[in-house]
Amino acid sequence: MTTVDRYATFAAREARGVSPAYERLSEAVARDGELLTRIDTLPPAKRQPNLLFGVVRLLGGPVEDPAAFRAYALDNWPAVEAEMRVRATQTNEPGRCAVLLPVLASLPQPLALLEVGASAGLNLYPDRYAYRYGDHSLGAGEPVLDCAISGTAPPARRPEVVWRAGLDLNPLDVRDPADVAWLDALIWPEHGHRRERLRAAAAVASAEPPLLVRGDLVDDLPALAARAPREATLVVFHTSVLYQVPPPRREAFAEVVRGLPGHWIANEDPDVLRYPALPEQPRGGFHNVLALDGRPLAWTRGHGQAITWFG
Ligand SMILES: C[S@@+](CC[C@H](N)C(=O)[O-])C[C@H]1O[C@@H](n2cnc3c(N)ncnc32)[C@H](O)[C@@H]1O
Protein backbone atom coordinates (compact mmCIF):
# COMPACT_ATOMS: atom_id res chain seq x y z
CA MET A 1 0.00 0.00 0.00
CA THR A 2 1.42 3.44 -0.92
CA THR A 3 1.52 6.15 1.73
CA VAL A 4 -1.14 8.09 -0.19
CA ASP A 5 -3.42 5.02 -0.06
CA ARG A 6 -2.63 4.46 3.59
CA TYR A 7 -3.74 7.99 4.58
CA ALA A 8 -6.74 8.04 2.24
CA THR A 9 -7.88 4.63 3.52
CA PHE A 10 -7.43 5.65 7.14
CA ALA A 11 -9.61 8.73 6.50
CA ALA A 12 -12.40 6.77 4.81
CA ARG A 13 -12.32 3.51 6.76
CA GLU A 14 -11.31 4.39 10.31
CA ALA A 15 -11.68 8.11 10.98
CA ARG A 16 -14.89 8.92 9.06
CA GLY A 17 -17.78 9.34 11.47
CA VAL A 18 -15.46 8.74 14.45
CA SER A 19 -12.93 11.58 14.35
CA PRO A 20 -13.61 14.49 11.98
CA ALA A 21 -10.22 16.02 12.90
CA TYR A 22 -8.28 12.91 11.89
CA GLU A 23 -10.41 12.45 8.79
CA ARG A 24 -9.46 16.00 7.72
CA LEU A 25 -5.80 15.51 8.58
CA SER A 26 -5.38 12.19 6.84
CA GLU A 27 -7.14 13.45 3.70
CA ALA A 28 -4.87 16.50 3.70
CA VAL A 29 -1.71 14.42 4.19
CA ALA A 30 -2.77 12.12 1.33
CA ARG A 31 -2.68 15.18 -0.98
CA ASP A 32 0.51 16.73 0.40
CA GLY A 33 3.58 15.83 -1.69
CA GLU A 34 6.09 17.40 0.69
CA LEU A 35 4.79 15.68 3.82
CA LEU A 36 4.45 12.37 1.97
CA THR A 37 8.09 12.57 0.87
CA ARG A 38 9.17 13.05 4.49
CA ILE A 39 6.96 10.22 5.73
CA ASP A 40 8.36 7.92 3.04
CA THR A 41 11.88 8.31 4.46
CA LEU A 42 10.63 6.22 7.42
CA PRO A 43 10.45 2.39 7.38
CA PRO A 44 7.00 1.22 6.12
CA ALA A 45 5.83 0.18 9.59
CA LYS A 46 6.48 3.71 10.85
CA ARG A 47 4.37 5.55 8.24
CA GLN A 48 0.99 4.99 9.94
CA PRO A 49 -1.40 7.95 10.32
CA ASN A 50 -2.07 7.09 13.98
CA LEU A 51 1.64 7.19 14.73
CA LEU A 52 2.25 10.53 13.00
CA PHE A 53 -0.80 12.19 14.56
CA GLY A 54 -0.08 10.73 18.01
CA VAL A 55 3.53 11.96 17.93
CA VAL A 56 2.49 15.48 16.90
CA ARG A 57 -0.03 15.51 19.77
CA LEU A 58 2.62 14.21 22.20
CA LEU A 59 4.96 17.02 21.16
CA GLY A 60 2.19 19.58 21.71
CA GLY A 61 1.47 20.27 18.04
CA PRO A 62 -1.96 21.12 16.58
CA VAL A 63 -4.14 18.34 15.13
CA GLU A 64 -7.44 20.10 14.53
CA ASP A 65 -6.52 22.29 11.57
CA PRO A 66 -4.71 20.66 8.61
CA ALA A 67 -2.77 23.85 7.66
CA ALA A 68 -1.50 24.36 11.22
CA PHE A 69 -0.68 20.64 11.49
CA ARG A 70 1.28 20.75 8.24
CA ALA A 71 3.28 23.82 9.28
CA TYR A 72 4.08 22.25 12.65
CA ALA A 73 5.06 18.86 11.20
CA LEU A 74 7.36 20.36 8.56
CA ASP A 75 8.96 22.94 10.92
CA ASN A 76 9.57 20.29 13.57
CA TRP A 77 10.28 17.32 11.32
CA PRO A 78 13.54 16.19 13.03
CA ALA A 79 11.73 15.85 16.38
CA VAL A 80 8.62 14.28 14.79
CA GLU A 81 10.71 11.81 12.81
CA ALA A 82 12.86 10.86 15.82
CA GLU A 83 9.76 10.06 17.91
CA MET A 84 8.14 8.12 15.07
CA ARG A 85 11.25 5.96 14.71
CA VAL A 86 11.31 4.91 18.36
CA ARG A 87 7.56 4.63 19.05
CA ALA A 88 4.79 2.35 17.86
CA THR A 89 1.02 2.72 18.04
CA GLN A 90 0.13 1.05 21.30
CA THR A 91 -3.34 2.44 21.85
CA ASN A 92 -4.72 0.63 24.88
CA GLU A 93 -8.50 0.74 24.73
CA PRO A 94 -10.23 -0.78 27.79
CA GLY A 95 -13.57 -0.22 26.03
CA ARG A 96 -12.78 -3.39 24.09
CA CYS A 97 -13.49 -5.38 27.28
CA ALA A 98 -17.18 -4.74 26.60
CA VAL A 99 -17.05 -6.79 23.40
CA LEU A 100 -14.89 -9.51 24.95
CA LEU A 101 -17.21 -9.88 27.94
CA PRO A 102 -20.00 -11.98 26.35
CA VAL A 103 -17.44 -14.62 25.38
CA LEU A 104 -15.40 -14.43 28.59
CA ALA A 105 -18.55 -14.81 30.68
CA SER A 106 -19.61 -17.91 28.71
CA LEU A 107 -16.43 -19.91 29.44
CA PRO A 108 -15.91 -22.27 32.40
CA GLN A 109 -14.85 -20.13 35.36
CA PRO A 110 -12.47 -19.14 36.87
CA LEU A 111 -10.26 -17.74 34.12
CA ALA A 112 -6.52 -17.28 33.68
CA LEU A 113 -6.22 -14.42 31.19
CA LEU A 114 -3.22 -14.09 28.90
CA GLU A 115 -3.35 -11.15 26.50
CA VAL A 116 -0.85 -10.95 23.64
CA GLY A 117 -0.13 -7.43 22.41
CA ALA A 118 -1.34 -6.16 25.77
CA SER A 119 0.23 -2.66 25.63
CA ALA A 120 -0.27 -1.48 29.27
CA GLY A 121 -2.59 -4.40 30.07
CA LEU A 122 -5.82 -2.42 30.50
CA ASN A 123 -7.88 -5.17 28.85
CA LEU A 124 -6.79 -7.61 31.55
CA TYR A 125 -9.40 -6.27 34.00
CA PRO A 126 -12.79 -7.25 32.49
CA ASP A 127 -13.89 -8.39 35.95
CA ARG A 128 -13.24 -4.97 37.50
CA TYR A 129 -14.94 -2.59 35.10
CA ALA A 130 -18.62 -1.65 34.99
CA TYR A 131 -20.69 -2.12 31.82
CA ARG A 132 -23.80 -0.63 30.24
CA TYR A 133 -25.36 -2.60 27.38
CA GLY A 134 -28.32 -0.35 26.57
CA ASP A 135 -30.42 -0.40 29.75
CA HIS A 136 -28.66 -3.49 31.15
CA SER A 137 -25.95 -2.60 33.68
CA LEU A 138 -23.31 -4.87 35.13
CA GLY A 139 -20.92 -4.04 37.95
CA ALA A 140 -20.29 -0.76 39.72
CA GLY A 141 -17.58 1.90 39.83
CA GLU A 142 -15.38 3.34 37.09
CA PRO A 143 -14.84 3.11 34.22
CA VAL A 144 -18.32 2.37 32.87
CA LEU A 145 -18.01 0.84 29.41
CA ASP A 146 -20.95 1.60 27.13
CA CYS A 147 -21.65 -0.90 24.38
CA ALA A 148 -24.61 -1.31 22.01
CA ILE A 149 -25.34 -5.02 21.74
CA SER A 150 -27.53 -6.79 19.19
CA GLY A 151 -28.21 -10.37 18.18
CA THR A 152 -27.53 -11.82 21.61
CA ALA A 153 -28.44 -11.15 25.25
CA PRO A 154 -26.05 -9.00 27.27
CA PRO A 155 -23.80 -11.01 29.57
CA ALA A 156 -25.42 -11.83 32.92
CA ARG A 157 -22.17 -11.79 34.90
CA ARG A 158 -18.61 -10.61 34.87
CA PRO A 159 -15.92 -13.29 34.67
CA GLU A 160 -13.98 -14.53 37.66
CA VAL A 161 -10.31 -13.88 36.95
CA VAL A 162 -7.67 -15.58 39.11
CA TRP A 163 -4.59 -14.81 36.99
CA ARG A 164 -3.83 -12.09 34.46
CA ALA A 165 -0.73 -11.70 32.32
CA GLY A 166 0.22 -9.77 29.21
CA LEU A 167 2.88 -10.22 26.55
CA ASP A 168 4.07 -7.28 24.48
CA LEU A 169 7.12 -6.28 22.44
CA ASN A 170 7.13 -3.08 24.50
CA PRO A 171 4.95 -3.26 27.62
CA LEU A 172 3.82 0.14 28.91
CA ASP A 173 3.45 0.94 32.60
CA VAL A 174 0.34 2.84 33.71
CA ARG A 175 2.28 4.01 36.80
CA ASP A 176 4.80 5.82 34.59
CA PRO A 177 3.60 9.33 33.63
CA ALA A 178 5.60 9.24 30.36
CA ASP A 179 3.85 6.03 29.28
CA VAL A 180 0.45 7.45 30.24
CA ALA A 181 1.24 10.61 28.23
CA TRP A 182 1.90 8.44 25.16
CA LEU A 183 -1.31 6.45 25.70
CA ASP A 184 -3.18 9.74 26.02
CA ALA A 185 -1.59 11.17 22.85
CA LEU A 186 -2.79 8.10 20.94
CA ILE A 187 -6.44 8.82 21.77
CA TRP A 188 -8.18 10.70 18.97
CA PRO A 189 -8.69 14.42 19.56
CA GLU A 190 -12.48 14.55 20.06
CA HIS A 191 -12.60 11.48 22.31
CA GLY A 192 -12.75 13.03 25.76
CA HIS A 193 -14.76 10.05 27.02
CA ARG A 194 -11.89 7.73 26.04
CA ARG A 195 -9.39 9.94 27.87
CA GLU A 196 -11.52 9.69 31.02
CA ARG A 197 -11.80 5.95 30.52
CA LEU A 198 -8.01 5.70 30.23
CA ARG A 199 -7.55 7.51 33.57
CA ALA A 200 -10.16 5.33 35.31
CA ALA A 201 -8.81 2.06 33.89
CA ALA A 202 -5.23 3.10 34.69
CA ALA A 203 -6.30 3.63 38.32
CA VAL A 204 -7.74 0.09 38.41
CA ALA A 205 -4.57 -1.39 36.90
CA SER A 206 -2.27 0.67 39.13
CA ALA A 207 -3.99 -0.71 42.23
CA GLU A 208 -3.07 -4.25 41.20
CA PRO A 209 -0.51 -4.09 38.36
CA PRO A 210 -0.67 -6.97 35.90
CA LEU A 211 2.19 -9.33 35.13
CA LEU A 212 3.49 -7.85 31.86
CA VAL A 213 6.25 -9.69 30.01
CA ARG A 214 8.37 -8.20 27.23
CA GLY A 215 8.34 -10.65 24.36
CA ASP A 216 6.98 -11.80 21.04
CA LEU A 217 3.54 -13.35 20.64
CA VAL A 218 4.93 -16.36 18.76
CA ASP A 219 8.27 -17.04 20.41
CA ASP A 220 7.38 -16.24 24.01
CA LEU A 221 3.75 -17.30 24.30
CA PRO A 222 4.26 -20.98 25.33
CA ALA A 223 6.55 -20.07 28.24
CA LEU A 224 4.13 -17.48 29.61
CA ALA A 225 1.12 -19.77 29.12
CA ALA A 226 2.94 -22.45 31.12
CA ARG A 227 2.91 -20.08 34.12
CA ALA A 228 -0.91 -19.97 34.25
CA PRO A 229 -2.53 -21.89 37.14
CA ARG A 230 -3.77 -25.29 35.96
CA GLU A 231 -7.05 -25.13 37.89
CA ALA A 232 -8.29 -22.13 35.86
CA THR A 233 -9.41 -21.98 32.20
CA LEU A 234 -6.57 -20.47 30.20
CA VAL A 235 -7.83 -17.80 27.78
CA VAL A 236 -5.32 -16.39 25.29
CA PHE A 237 -6.77 -13.28 23.68
CA HIS A 238 -5.83 -10.32 21.53
CA THR A 239 -7.53 -7.24 20.17
CA SER A 240 -6.25 -4.98 17.36
CA VAL A 241 -2.78 -6.52 17.39
CA LEU A 242 -2.25 -8.73 14.35
CA TYR A 243 -2.27 -5.83 11.87
CA GLN A 244 1.14 -5.02 13.36
CA VAL A 245 2.41 -8.58 12.77
CA PRO A 246 3.69 -9.75 9.35
CA PRO A 247 1.38 -12.35 7.67
CA PRO A 248 3.69 -15.38 8.07
CA ARG A 249 4.01 -14.62 11.79
CA ARG A 250 0.21 -14.41 12.12
CA GLU A 251 0.03 -17.97 10.79
CA ALA A 252 2.77 -19.07 13.16
CA PHE A 253 0.92 -17.44 16.06
CA ALA A 254 -2.36 -19.21 15.18
CA GLU A 255 -0.51 -22.52 15.14
CA VAL A 256 1.08 -21.89 18.54
CA VAL A 257 -2.17 -20.78 20.17
CA ARG A 258 -4.10 -23.76 18.76
CA GLY A 259 -1.56 -26.04 20.45
CA LEU A 260 -2.24 -24.57 23.91
CA PRO A 261 -4.87 -25.83 26.36
CA GLY A 262 -7.92 -23.62 27.04
CA HIS A 263 -9.49 -21.09 24.68
CA TRP A 264 -8.46 -18.47 22.14
CA ILE A 265 -10.36 -15.20 21.64
CA ALA A 266 -9.43 -12.98 18.68
CA ASN A 267 -10.85 -9.51 18.03
CA GLU A 268 -9.17 -8.43 14.82
CA ASP A 269 -9.60 -6.69 11.48
CA PRO A 270 -11.16 -9.18 9.00
CA ASP A 271 -8.48 -8.21 6.45
CA VAL A 272 -5.83 -9.38 8.90
CA LEU A 273 -7.31 -12.56 10.35
CA ARG A 274 -9.39 -14.05 7.58
CA TYR A 275 -12.37 -16.41 7.90
CA PRO A 276 -13.96 -18.48 5.12
CA ALA A 277 -17.38 -16.78 5.28
CA LEU A 278 -18.66 -13.77 7.17
CA PRO A 279 -22.06 -12.08 7.15
CA GLU A 280 -22.26 -8.60 5.70
CA GLN A 281 -20.52 -6.02 7.87
CA PRO A 282 -22.89 -3.58 9.60
CA ARG A 283 -22.79 0.01 8.38
CA GLY A 284 -21.33 2.77 10.48
CA GLY A 285 -17.57 2.49 10.34
CA PHE A 286 -14.74 0.11 10.92
CA HIS A 287 -15.47 -3.27 12.54
CA ASN A 288 -13.33 -6.09 13.90
CA VAL A 289 -14.38 -9.73 13.98
CA LEU A 290 -14.72 -11.41 17.35
CA ALA A 291 -13.89 -15.13 17.23
CA LEU A 292 -13.65 -17.97 19.74
CA ASP A 293 -11.23 -20.81 18.95
CA GLY A 294 -11.13 -19.77 15.30
CA ARG A 295 -14.94 -19.57 14.93
CA PRO A 296 -16.17 -16.05 14.03
CA LEU A 297 -19.03 -14.90 16.27
CA ALA A 298 -19.69 -11.18 15.92
CA TRP A 299 -18.78 -7.82 14.39
CA THR A 300 -17.39 -5.36 16.90
CA ARG A 301 -16.71 -1.63 16.58
CA GLY A 302 -13.06 -0.62 16.80
CA HIS A 303 -13.11 0.89 20.29
CA GLY A 304 -15.68 -1.53 21.74
CA GLN A 305 -18.70 0.75 21.15
CA ALA A 306 -20.89 -2.00 19.68
CA ILE A 307 -21.17 -5.72 19.14
CA THR A 308 -23.38 -7.30 16.49
CA TRP A 309 -23.73 -11.03 16.98
CA PHE A 310 -23.96 -13.11 13.81
CA GLY A 311 -27.46 -14.45 13.15
C1 LIG B 1 -2.71 -1.29 18.85
S1 LIG B 1 -2.01 -1.98 20.31
C2 LIG B 1 -3.43 -2.79 21.01
C3 LIG B 1 -3.30 -2.96 22.49
C4 LIG B 1 -4.41 -3.74 23.17
N1 LIG B 1 -4.52 -5.08 22.63
C5 LIG B 1 -5.75 -3.04 23.05
O1 LIG B 1 -6.61 -3.49 22.26
O2 LIG B 1 -6.00 -2.06 23.73
C6 LIG B 1 -1.04 -3.33 19.67
C7 LIG B 1 -0.01 -3.86 20.66
O3 LIG B 1 0.56 -5.06 20.12
C8 LIG B 1 1.93 -5.09 20.43
N2 LIG B 1 2.60 -6.00 19.48
C9 LIG B 1 2.79 -5.83 18.14
N3 LIG B 1 3.45 -6.87 17.63
C10 LIG B 1 3.70 -7.73 18.65
C11 LIG B 1 4.36 -8.99 18.76
N4 LIG B 1 4.91 -9.57 17.69
N5 LIG B 1 4.42 -9.59 19.96
C12 LIG B 1 3.88 -9.00 21.06
N6 LIG B 1 3.25 -7.80 21.03
C13 LIG B 1 3.16 -7.18 19.84
C14 LIG B 1 2.36 -3.63 20.30
O4 LIG B 1 3.58 -3.38 20.99
C15 LIG B 1 1.16 -2.91 20.91
O5 LIG B 1 1.32 -2.68 22.28
Side-chain angles (χ1 to χ4, degrees), residues 2-11 21-40 42 46-53 56 62-63 65-71 73-74 77 80 84:
T2 65
T3 307
V4 172
D5 290 342
R6 204 180 264 228
Y7 280 75
T9 303
F10 178 82
Y22 277 5
E23 185 182 356
R24 283 195 299 275
L25 283 197
S26 38
E27 282 173 348
V29 172
R31 293 190 301 265
D32 191 319
E34 197 175 347
L35 259 181
L36 290 167
T37 303
R38 305 264 179 119
I39 296 167
D40 278 338
L42 294 164
K46 299 288 178 183
R47 297 177 192 163
Q48 291 168 39
N50 257 337
L51 183 59
L52 171 63
F53 303 157
V56 168
V63 290
D65 170 46
F69 169 83
R70 175 181 201 273
L74 292 175
W77 188 253
V80 171
M84 288 178 77

Side-chain angles (χ1 to χ4, degrees), residues 110-298:
L111 305 180
L113 296 181
L114 195 171
E115 182 181 13
V116 299
S119 184
L122 298 180
N123 283 317
L124 285 165
Y125 298 86
D127 52 329
R128 301 291 167 79
Y129 302 148
Y131 300 85
R132 209 158 35 210
Y133 297 94
D135 53 15
H136 176 81
S137 295
L138 207 56
E142 296 284 339
V144 180
L145 308 179
D146 271 302
C147 180
I149 193 165
S150 61
T152 191
R157 60 176 178 179
R158 294 184 296 179
E160 183 192 345
V161 179
V162 292
W163 185 81
R164 52 191 109 227
L167 186 60
D168 201 286
L169 290 178
N170 181 42
L172 297 178
D173 185 346
V174 287
R175 295 163 299 172
D176 178 344
D179 282 357
V180 176
W182 178 231
L183 289 171
D184 187 291
L186 285 165
I187 294 177
W188 299 359
E190 304 89 344
H191 295 191
H193 65 291
R194 291 180 60 210
R195 250 173 270 291
E196 283 167 24
R197 198 150 76 189
L198 170 66
R199 307 274 160 221
V204 171
S206 299
E208 187 201 331
L211 166 64
L212 287 182
V213 174
R214 184 179 298 273
D216 174 74
L217 53 71
V218 179
D219 300 334
D220 302 302
L221 175 57
L224 185 54
R227 294 168 66 177
R230 296 280 157 88
E231 61 279 8
T233 303
L234 175 65
V235 183
V236 175
F237 73 98
H238 47 99
T239 82
S240 304
V241 171
L242 294 186
Y243 76 92
Q244 297 187 358
V245 176
R249 297 291 284 173
R250 293 176 200 155
E251 300 293 325
F253 167 70
E255 209 170 303
V256 170
V257 78
R258 278 195 204 101
L260 293 173
H263 292 280
W264 168 32
I265 301 176
N267 185 48
E268 297 285 348
D269 183 334
D271 286 346
V272 167
L273 201 54
R274 292 177 179 276
Y275 300 98
L278 292 174
E280 197 180 333
Q281 192 170 144
R283 291 174 189 275
F286 173 77
H287 285 75
N288 282 312
V289 172
L290 179 72
L292 174 64
D293 299 328
R295 190 164 65 89
L297 297 175

